[in-house]
Amino acid sequence: MRIPGRVSIVEVGPRDGLQNEQSLITTADKITFIDQLTAAGHRVIEVAAFVSPKWVPQMADASEVLAGITRRDGMRYTALVPNRAGLTRAMAAGVTEVAIFAAASETFSQRNLNQSIEASLVTYADVCREALAAGLRVRGYLSTCFGCPYEGAVAPTQVAAIARRLFDLGVFEIAISDTIGVAHPGQVPQVLDAVAASVPLAQVALHFHDTRGTALANVLAGLDYGVTTFDSAAGGLGGCPFAPGAAGNLATEDLLYMLNGLGAETGVDLSRVATASQFIQTCLGHRLPSRYLQSMPS
Ligand code: HMG
Ligand code: MG
């Protein structure tokens, strides 16, 4: 098996993780959580989403979160934007990197964005033009690459075609996402074969949810294929409010435990991530799913 010397982790807990939580977390607690994740040595943290607060109330305080965190030099603090309104808010909050998010299946695009795939790509063309002209970096997510909660199987050729459209908009990286955690390690190379024929593999990241317990196995399959960037969320927080059955993201602790064992450098301190998870777990008032976290003495 191919294991790279260095792996990049994109911490998405404060955004993908918290967006699915029913109880509203205070802005101060979100800021403490993000600052603890910064202290853990992360290089990239997705801290918020500038989406409609009517759609995702938990993300309504995105600007206040950005204003309150302590930004460490060299760190990338990124945020989701679904449209020009979101980009305007993100830029006003001093964000230098944003992420757009399209879907590989039509029904999920409608449920998540209230737009068809085509319409969302027109919106994103506008967002990218403005963001790139202002000197921002833009990341692209592609949801439902391994299956859709509404339509079932999604063809890898469809994934590759939309990935290429995002790439042509100027995104620096495309997170091939398993929105509802249905992927298995046999499927990972099949999807990557199609994607890598459309966009450079060096610009592909993998974003797994761990609904069925296959996320770490999928990471191994991705590493072996040559992918070196993976998204994860502290404590295994997460899910998408518009994807029924979507459970937590791959837990950062579980990912780190495996990568440390394999000798792949990340620069992220496992025990400090666990401290951040324990803090947010207390704020949420329920146990987080990370297996590593659960194995720690309380
Ligand atoms: P819409 O209702 O069709 O849009 O929503 P609209 O233009 O009619 O706007 C509705 C209201 O929201 C209006 O306010 C707008 O001004 C306001 P009103 O006039 O009614 O008072 N509005 C905004 N306010 C603040 N910021 C904005 C914004 N945009 C509109 N940016 C829209 C369309 C795209 C806005 C909506 O569908 C939306 O916000 N969707 C986001 C859903 C979301 O956040 N999903 C979760 C993130 S994606 C994910 O988790 C997957 C990922 O992790 C990868 C994976 O795992 O697959 C990334
Ligand atoms: Mg996600």
Side-chain angles (χ1 to χ4, degrees), residues 143-175:
S143 289
T144 62
C145 293
F146 297 86
C148 169
Y150 306 104
E151 297 177 16
V154 175
T157 48
Q158 164 79 355
V159 174
I162 313 291
R164 179 71 214 186
R165 301 274 301 274
L166 287 175
F167 185 70
D168 288 341
L169 296 183
V171 303
F172 70 90
E173 185 170 85
I174 299 175

mmCIF file of all heavy atoms in Angstrom, residues 143-175:
data_model
loop_
_atom_site.group_PDB
_atom_site.id
_atom_site.type_symbol
_atom_site.label_atom_id
_atom_site.label_comp_id
_atom_site.label_asym_id
_atom_site.label_seq_id
_atom_site.Cartn_x
_atom_site.Cartn_y
_atom_site.Cartn_z
ATOM 1 N N SER A 143 -20.828 17.229 -3.863
ATOM 2 C CA SER A 143 -21.575 16.321 -2.986
ATOM 3 C C SER A 143 -22.107 15.120 -3.752
ATOM 4 O O SER A 143 -22.180 15.130 -4.990
ATOM 5 C CB SER A 143 -22.760 17.061 -2.356
ATOM 6 O OG SER A 143 -22.316 17.991 -1.407
ATOM 7 N N THR A 144 -22.519 14.126 -2.995
ATOM 8 C CA THR A 144 -23.185 12.897 -3.499
ATOM 9 C C THR A 144 -22.370 12.154 -4.568
ATOM 10 O O THR A 144 -22.931 11.565 -5.477
ATOM 11 C CB THR A 144 -24.621 13.189 -4.010
ATOM 12 O OG1 THR A 144 -24.587 14.111 -5.108
ATOM 13 C CG2 THR A 144 -25.526 13.721 -2.916
ATOM 14 N N CYS A 145 -21.047 12.177 -4.436
ATOM 15 C CA CYS A 145 -20.189 11.521 -5.442
ATOM 16 C C CYS A 145 -20.226 9.995 -5.343
ATOM 17 O O CYS A 145 -19.829 9.298 -6.284
ATOM 18 C CB CYS A 145 -18.747 11.984 -5.280
ATOM 19 S SG CYS A 145 -18.541 13.718 -5.696
ATOM 20 N N PHE A 146 -20.664 9.490 -4.190
ATOM 21 C CA PHE A 146 -20.678 8.029 -4.009
ATOM 22 C C PHE A 146 -22.101 7.504 -3.826
ATOM 23 O O PHE A 146 -22.301 6.317 -3.596
ATOM 24 C CB PHE A 146 -19.809 7.658 -2.804
ATOM 25 C CG PHE A 146 -18.357 8.020 -2.963
ATOM 26 C CD1 PHE A 146 -17.896 9.294 -2.624
ATOM 27 C CD2 PHE A 146 -17.452 7.103 -3.486
ATOM 28 C CE1 PHE A 146 -16.556 9.637 -2.782
ATOM 29 C CE2 PHE A 146 -16.103 7.435 -3.639
ATOM 30 C CZ PHE A 146 -15.661 8.703 -3.290
ATOM 31 N N GLY A 147 -23.071 8.400 -3.929
ATOM 32 C CA GLY A 147 -24.460 7.988 -3.754
ATOM 33 C C GLY A 147 -25.281 9.164 -3.248
ATOM 34 O O GLY A 147 -24.753 10.041 -2.559
ATOM 35 N N CYS A 148 -26.562 9.163 -3.617
ATOM 36 C CA CYS A 148 -27.448 10.284 -3.279
ATOM 37 C C CYS A 148 -28.582 9.766 -2.389
ATOM 38 O O CYS A 148 -29.124 8.691 -2.654
ATOM 39 C CB CYS A 148 -28.015 10.875 -4.576
ATOM 40 S SG CYS A 148 -29.358 12.054 -4.311
ATOM 41 N N PRO A 149 -28.940 10.525 -1.339
ATOM 42 C CA PRO A 149 -30.012 10.048 -0.455
ATOM 43 C C PRO A 149 -31.362 9.964 -1.160
ATOM 44 O O PRO A 149 -32.247 9.253 -0.700
ATOM 45 C CB PRO A 149 -30.045 11.104 0.658
ATOM 46 C CG PRO A 149 -29.394 12.312 0.089
ATOM 47 C CD PRO A 149 -28.387 11.813 -0.902
ATOM 48 N N TYR A 150 -31.524 10.660 -2.277
ATOM 49 C CA TYR A 150 -32.808 10.689 -2.987
ATOM 50 C C TYR A 150 -32.800 9.815 -4.240
ATOM 51 O O TYR A 150 -33.812 9.270 -4.631
ATOM 52 C CB TYR A 150 -33.159 12.132 -3.377
ATOM 53 C CG TYR A 150 -33.142 13.069 -2.193
ATOM 54 C CD1 TYR A 150 -32.078 13.956 -2.006
ATOM 55 C CD2 TYR A 150 -34.149 13.043 -1.241
ATOM 56 C CE1 TYR A 150 -32.050 14.812 -0.910
ATOM 57 C CE2 TYR A 150 -34.128 13.890 -0.132
ATOM 58 C CZ TYR A 150 -33.069 14.775 0.018
ATOM 59 O OH TYR A 150 -33.038 15.600 1.112
ATOM 60 N N GLU A 151 -31.623 9.732 -4.914
ATOM 61 C CA GLU A 151 -31.578 9.052 -6.216
ATOM 62 C C GLU A 151 -30.805 7.741 -6.202
ATOM 63 O O GLU A 151 -30.799 7.014 -7.196
ATOM 64 C CB GLU A 151 -30.950 9.983 -7.264
ATOM 65 C CG GLU A 151 -31.761 11.249 -7.492
ATOM 66 C CD GLU A 151 -31.093 12.201 -8.478
ATOM 67 O OE1 GLU A 151 -30.180 11.781 -9.214
ATOM 68 O OE2 GLU A 151 -31.501 13.373 -8.496
ATOM 69 N N GLY A 152 -30.111 7.466 -5.097
ATOM 70 C CA GLY A 152 -29.329 6.226 -5.042
ATOM 71 C C GLY A 152 -28.002 6.381 -5.771
ATOM 72 O O GLY A 152 -27.291 7.372 -5.598
ATOM 73 N N ALA A 153 -27.686 5.407 -6.632
ATOM 74 C CA ALA A 153 -26.375 5.379 -7.294
ATOM 75 C C ALA A 153 -26.148 6.622 -8.157
ATOM 76 O O ALA A 153 -27.084 7.142 -8.780
ATOM 77 C CB ALA A 153 -26.266 4.123 -8.154
ATOM 78 N N VAL A 154 -24.910 7.084 -8.165
ATOM 79 C CA VAL A 154 -24.514 8.224 -9.007
ATOM 80 C C VAL A 154 -23.365 7.734 -9.897
ATOM 81 O O VAL A 154 -22.388 7.166 -9.390
ATOM 82 C CB VAL A 154 -24.066 9.425 -8.140
ATOM 83 C CG1 VAL A 154 -23.538 10.564 -8.996
ATOM 84 C CG2 VAL A 154 -25.218 9.906 -7.251
ATOM 85 N N ALA A 155 -23.472 7.959 -11.200
ATOM 86 C CA ALA A 155 -22.454 7.442 -12.123
ATOM 87 C C ALA A 155 -21.135 8.196 -11.956
ATOM 88 O O ALA A 155 -21.131 9.437 -11.921
ATOM 89 C CB ALA A 155 -22.939 7.577 -13.562
ATOM 90 N N PRO A 156 -20.002 7.488 -11.848
ATOM 91 C CA PRO A 156 -18.702 8.169 -11.768
ATOM 92 C C PRO A 156 -18.468 9.137 -12.937
ATOM 93 O O PRO A 156 -17.814 10.177 -12.761
ATOM 94 C CB PRO A 156 -17.699 7.006 -11.791
ATOM 95 C CG PRO A 156 -18.440 5.849 -11.192
ATOM 96 C CD PRO A 156 -19.869 6.017 -11.663
ATOM 97 N N THR A 157 -19.016 8.830 -14.110
ATOM 98 C CA THR A 157 -18.842 9.745 -15.252
ATOM 99 C C THR A 157 -19.534 11.091 -14.986
ATOM 100 O O THR A 157 -19.031 12.141 -15.392
ATOM 101 C CB THR A 157 -19.430 9.133 -16.542
ATOM 102 O OG1 THR A 157 -20.745 8.628 -16.242
ATOM 103 C CG2 THR A 157 -18.571 8.009 -17.073
ATOM 104 N N GLN A 158 -20.668 11.036 -14.296
ATOM 105 C CA GLN A 158 -21.367 12.274 -13.920
ATOM 106 C C GLN A 158 -20.532 13.063 -12.909
ATOM 107 O O GLN A 158 -20.386 14.280 -13.008
ATOM 108 C CB GLN A 158 -22.753 11.910 -13.340
ATOM 109 C CG GLN A 158 -23.462 12.992 -12.561
ATOM 110 C CD GLN A 158 -24.140 14.031 -13.444
ATOM 111 O OE1 GLN A 158 -23.998 14.000 -14.678
ATOM 112 N NE2 GLN A 158 -24.855 14.955 -12.836
ATOM 113 N N VAL A 159 -19.960 12.366 -11.927
ATOM 114 C CA VAL A 159 -19.099 13.004 -10.927
ATOM 115 C C VAL A 159 -17.930 13.709 -11.635
ATOM 116 O O VAL A 159 -17.631 14.873 -11.377
ATOM 117 C CB VAL A 159 -18.551 11.958 -9.918
ATOM 118 C CG1 VAL A 159 -17.540 12.576 -8.965
ATOM 119 C CG2 VAL A 159 -19.705 11.301 -9.148
ATOM 120 N N ALA A 160 -17.312 12.979 -12.557
ATOM 121 C CA ALA A 160 -16.144 13.521 -13.263
ATOM 122 C C ALA A 160 -16.525 14.744 -14.098
ATOM 123 O O ALA A 160 -15.775 15.730 -14.154
ATOM 124 C CB ALA A 160 -15.543 12.439 -14.161
ATOM 125 N N ALA A 161 -17.705 14.698 -14.721
ATOM 126 C CA ALA A 161 -18.121 15.812 -15.586
ATOM 127 C C ALA A 161 -18.350 17.083 -14.764
ATOM 128 O O ALA A 161 -17.904 18.170 -15.147
ATOM 129 C CB ALA A 161 -19.393 15.429 -16.348
ATOM 130 N N ILE A 162 -19.011 16.950 -13.605
ATOM 131 C CA ILE A 162 -19.267 18.154 -12.784
ATOM 132 C C ILE A 162 -17.964 18.618 -12.126
ATOM 133 O O ILE A 162 -17.729 19.823 -11.981
ATOM 134 C CB ILE A 162 -20.352 17.905 -11.698
ATOM 135 C CG1 ILE A 162 -21.587 17.208 -12.279
ATOM 136 C CG2 ILE A 162 -20.751 19.227 -11.021
ATOM 137 C CD1 ILE A 162 -22.408 18.022 -13.204
ATOM 138 N N ALA A 163 -17.116 17.659 -11.747
ATOM 139 C CA ALA A 163 -15.815 18.041 -11.170
ATOM 140 C C ALA A 163 -15.045 18.906 -12.173
ATOM 141 O O ALA A 163 -14.437 19.918 -11.811
ATOM 142 C CB ALA A 163 -15.008 16.798 -10.795
ATOM 143 N N ARG A 164 -15.082 18.509 -13.434
ATOM 144 C CA ARG A 164 -14.387 19.289 -14.474
ATOM 145 C C ARG A 164 -14.978 20.699 -14.609
ATOM 146 O O ARG A 164 -14.265 21.685 -14.766
ATOM 147 C CB ARG A 164 -14.488 18.546 -15.821
ATOM 148 C CG ARG A 164 -13.832 19.262 -16.983
ATOM 149 C CD ARG A 164 -12.316 19.235 -16.849
ATOM 150 N NE ARG A 164 -11.709 20.448 -17.375
ATOM 151 C CZ ARG A 164 -10.386 20.627 -17.488
ATOM 152 N NH1 ARG A 164 -9.544 19.704 -17.118
ATOM 153 N NH2 ARG A 164 -9.912 21.746 -17.960
ATOM 154 N N ARG A 165 -16.313 20.782 -14.520
ATOM 155 C CA ARG A 165 -16.973 22.103 -14.622
ATOM 156 C C ARG A 165 -16.515 23.000 -13.462
ATOM 157 O O ARG A 165 -16.279 24.194 -13.643
ATOM 158 C CB ARG A 165 -18.497 21.945 -14.585
ATOM 159 C CG ARG A 165 -19.097 21.068 -15.693
ATOM 160 C CD ARG A 165 -19.369 21.826 -16.974
ATOM 161 N NE ARG A 165 -20.289 22.936 -16.833
ATOM 162 C CZ ARG A 165 -21.626 22.849 -16.905
ATOM 163 N NH1 ARG A 165 -22.205 21.672 -17.108
ATOM 164 N NH2 ARG A 165 -22.386 23.923 -16.822
ATOM 165 N N LEU A 166 -16.413 22.416 -12.254
ATOM 166 C CA LEU A 166 -15.935 23.207 -11.108
ATOM 167 C C LEU A 166 -14.487 23.634 -11.327
ATOM 168 O O LEU A 166 -14.111 24.783 -11.073
ATOM 169 C CB LEU A 166 -16.037 22.390 -9.810
ATOM 170 C CG LEU A 166 -17.435 22.176 -9.232
ATOM 171 C CD1 LEU A 166 -17.369 21.256 -8.015
ATOM 172 C CD2 LEU A 166 -18.079 23.508 -8.844
ATOM 173 N N PHE A 167 -13.686 22.703 -11.798
ATOM 174 C CA PHE A 167 -12.269 22.983 -12.048
ATOM 175 C C PHE A 167 -12.127 24.149 -13.038
ATOM 176 O O PHE A 167 -11.306 25.053 -12.851
ATOM 177 C CB PHE A 167 -11.603 21.722 -12.589
ATOM 178 C CG PHE A 167 -10.130 21.844 -12.766
ATOM 179 C CD1 PHE A 167 -9.287 21.909 -11.666
ATOM 180 C CD2 PHE A 167 -9.568 21.887 -14.039
ATOM 181 C CE1 PHE A 167 -7.911 22.027 -11.832
ATOM 182 C CE2 PHE A 167 -8.196 22.008 -14.209
ATOM 183 C CZ PHE A 167 -7.367 22.073 -13.101
ATOM 184 N N ASP A 168 -12.977 24.142 -14.071
ATOM 185 C CA ASP A 168 -12.916 25.192 -15.091
ATOM 186 C C ASP A 168 -13.326 26.566 -14.539
ATOM 187 O O ASP A 168 -13.034 27.595 -15.143
ATOM 188 C CB ASP A 168 -13.793 24.823 -16.296
ATOM 189 C CG ASP A 168 -13.168 23.687 -17.118
ATOM 190 O OD1 ASP A 168 -11.942 23.450 -16.970
ATOM 191 O OD2 ASP A 168 -13.905 23.043 -17.892
ATOM 192 N N LEU A 169 -14.015 26.563 -13.386
ATOM 193 C CA LEU A 169 -14.376 27.844 -12.759
ATOM 194 C C LEU A 169 -13.196 28.444 -11.995
ATOM 195 O O LEU A 169 -13.268 29.574 -11.519
ATOM 196 C CB LEU A 169 -15.562 27.672 -11.799
ATOM 197 C CG LEU A 169 -16.900 27.233 -12.412
ATOM 198 C CD1 LEU A 169 -17.980 27.177 -11.327
ATOM 199 C CD2 LEU A 169 -17.319 28.172 -13.527
ATOM 200 N N GLY A 170 -12.128 27.665 -11.840
ATOM 201 C CA GLY A 170 -10.915 28.197 -11.203
ATOM 202 C C GLY A 170 -10.702 27.771 -9.765
ATOM 203 O O GLY A 170 -9.903 28.381 -9.053
ATOM 204 N N VAL A 171 -11.397 26.722 -9.317
ATOM 205 C CA VAL A 171 -11.165 26.271 -7.939
ATOM 206 C C VAL A 171 -9.772 25.640 -7.847
ATOM 207 O O VAL A 171 -9.281 25.066 -8.821
ATOM 208 C CB VAL A 171 -12.251 25.272 -7.451
ATOM 209 C CG1 VAL A 171 -13.642 25.882 -7.564
ATOM 210 C CG2 VAL A 171 -12.181 23.952 -8.198
ATOM 211 N N PHE A 172 -9.139 25.781 -6.666
ATOM 212 C CA PHE A 172 -7.777 25.238 -6.532
ATOM 213 C C PHE A 172 -7.793 23.787 -6.084
ATOM 214 O O PHE A 172 -6.785 23.088 -6.178
ATOM 215 C CB PHE A 172 -6.935 26.080 -5.556
ATOM 216 C CG PHE A 172 -7.358 25.954 -4.122
ATOM 217 C CD1 PHE A 172 -6.808 24.981 -3.303
ATOM 218 C CD2 PHE A 172 -8.308 26.808 -3.588
ATOM 219 C CE1 PHE A 172 -7.201 24.850 -1.975
ATOM 220 C CE2 PHE A 172 -8.715 26.684 -2.265
ATOM 221 C CZ PHE A 172 -8.157 25.703 -1.454
ATOM 222 N N GLU A 173 -8.956 23.341 -5.577
ATOM 223 C CA GLU A 173 -9.049 21.969 -5.060
ATOM 224 C C GLU A 173 -10.512 21.547 -5.123
ATOM 225 O O GLU A 173 -11.410 22.373 -4.928
ATOM 226 C CB GLU A 173 -8.568 21.961 -3.601
ATOM 227 C CG GLU A 173 -8.490 20.609 -2.932
ATOM 228 C CD GLU A 173 -7.768 20.731 -1.587
ATOM 229 O OE1 GLU A 173 -8.427 21.057 -0.585
ATOM 230 O OE2 GLU A 173 -6.538 20.544 -1.562
ATOM 231 N N ILE A 174 -10.748 20.279 -5.391
ATOM 232 C CA ILE A 174 -12.119 19.772 -5.426
ATOM 233 C C ILE A 174 -12.243 18.652 -4.400
ATOM 234 O O ILE A 174 -11.513 17.650 -4.467
ATOM 235 C CB ILE A 174 -12.493 19.248 -6.822
ATOM 236 C CG1 ILE A 174 -12.392 20.390 -7.842
ATOM 237 C CG2 ILE A 174 -13.918 18.660 -6.820
ATOM 238 C CD1 ILE A 174 -12.610 19.962 -9.260
ATOM 239 N N ALA A 175 -13.160 18.857 -3.447
ATOM 240 C CA ALA A 175 -13.388 17.829 -2.422
ATOM 241 C C ALA A 175 -14.487 16.890 -2.922
ATOM 242 O O ALA A 175 -15.664 17.247 -2.965
ATOM 243 C CB ALA A 175 -13.789 18.484 -1.107
#
